[in-house]
């Protein structure tokens, strides 16, 4: 059995490692834009999974996306949000503008994982097509900035706000600990009204 499979895009046939969930466009990006060591931030993977799941829900509610495609896309996005398949997003930050290749990487991974779940061959684009179903009515000019906003909002809530609260709480401990240490205040290089170190 070959360790490569053939996938087809608008430019023709591309050989993709047989055990990978990405497709032709991701492989082309790897071949032409593997510049430096900086991969797309891992936070963008989860953000895109949230976005693709929401798009699938909207398209299903609008009767544009069938029940089977909707369920498979949702299941795959939930797997990605649970931390699975993150090694299937190998692209570097230095790629074409607007994040198109990363958007397609996400579409291809979701499509191929849906194929695995449905028991169809990788690269068959059935029952879920990366462009027609996963990317339905989306442009990377919109989806990439939206994913960036999602990633920023999630990280502000999950990382920044808790870190600022920890800093605030640590300073509050020192305020109480140093409340009875009196020192001279300083104003414009001169001694000023005494205050406690805790007040300072």
């Amino acid at each position: 059995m070959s360790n490569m499979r053939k996938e087809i895009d608008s430019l023709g046939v591309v050989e993709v490692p047989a055990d990978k969930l990405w497709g032709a466009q991701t492989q082309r990006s790897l071949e032409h834009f593997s510049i430096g060591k900086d991969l797309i931030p891992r936070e963008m993977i989860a953000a895109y999974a949230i976005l693709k799941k929401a798009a699938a829900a909207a398209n299903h509610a609008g009767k544009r996306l069938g029940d089977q495609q909707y369920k498979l896309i949702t299941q795959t996005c939930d797997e990605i949000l649970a931390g699975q398949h993150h090694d299937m997003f190998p692209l570097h930050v230095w790629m074409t503008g607007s994040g198109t290749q990363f958007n397609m990487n996400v579409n291809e991974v979701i499509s191929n994982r849906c194929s695995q779940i449905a028991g169809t061959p990788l690269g068959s684009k059935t029952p879920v097509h990366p462009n027609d179903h996963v990317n339905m009515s989306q442009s990377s000019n919109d989806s990439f900035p939206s994913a960036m906003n999602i990633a920023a909002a999630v990280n502000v809530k999950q990382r920044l706000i808790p870190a600022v609260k920890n800093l605030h709480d640590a300073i509050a401990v020192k305020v109480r600990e140093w409340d009875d240490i009196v020192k001279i205040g300083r104003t414009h290089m001169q001694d000023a009204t005494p205050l406690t170190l805790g007040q300072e």
Side-chain angles (χ1 to χ4, degrees):
M1 182 172 149
S2 172
N3 60 352
M4 301 296 280
R5 71 174 187 273
K6 294 187 187 309
E7 289 227 9
I8 300 171
D9 65 7
S10 59
L11 296 176
V13 177
V14 182
E15 288 202 338
V16 178
D19 62 336
K20 302 303 183 192
L21 292 176
W22 64 72
Q25 292 191 44
T26 303
Q27 190 64 35
R28 288 189 194 281
S29 182
L30 282 173
E31 290 170 7
H32 300 290
F33 292 96
S34 286
I35 303 166
K37 297 186 180 183
D38 300 314
L39 298 182
I40 287 286
R42 304 293 85 183
E43 293 84 359
M44 286 293 286
I45 298 169
Y48 248 108
I50 291 168
L51 184 67
K52 296 296 180 179
K53 183 177 178 180
N59 286 320
H60 182 254
K63 310 254 188 270
R64 291 179 297 277
L65 187 65
D67 292 342
Q68 181 189 26
Q69 286 85 10
Y70 168 65
K71 287 175 186 170
L72 287 167
I73 291 169
T74 299
Q75 179 180 340
T76 301
C77 289
D78 286 341
E79 289 177 359
I80 294 169
L81 289 168
Q84 299 178 45
H85 317 302
H86 280 211
D87 57 337
M88 297 298 149
F89 303 97
L91 298 186
H92 296 77
V93 295
W94 311 110
M95 65 172 97
T96 61
S98 79
T100 301
Q101 292 172 345
F102 183 65
N103 181 49
M104 280 309 300
N105 179 201
V106 174
N107 294 333
E108 290 173 342
V109 168
I110 292 172
S111 171
N112 275 322
R113 178 60 185 141
C114 291
S115 292
Q116 274 186 332
I117 295 166
T120 58
L122 292 181
S124 66
K125 300 179 176 73
T126 55
V128 174
H129 191 284
N131 217 19
D132 298 344
H133 299 127
V134 185
N135 199 64
M136 182 184 289
S137 302
Q138 298 168 62
S139 164
S140 53
N141 288 314
D142 300 321
S143 65
F144 199 88
S146 295
M148 288 172 62
N149 287 327
I150 291 167
V154 167
N155 280 279
V156 164
K157 182 175 182 184
Q158 293 180 351
R159 295 172 65 186
L160 179 62
I161 291 174
V164 170
K165 184 181 183 313
N166 287 340
L167 176 62
H168 172 273
D169 293 348
I171 292 172
V173 168
K174 292 300 180 187
V175 166
R176 290 188 297 275
E177 185 180 331
W178 295 336
D179 194 42
D180 57 356
I181 300 173
V182 177
K183 67 180 291 290
I184 297 297
R186 300 288 289 176
T187 302
H188 302 296
M189 306 296 288
Q190 297 183 30
D191 289 347
T193 306
L195 73 164
T196 69
L197 187 55
Q199 288 172 321
E200 184 178 61

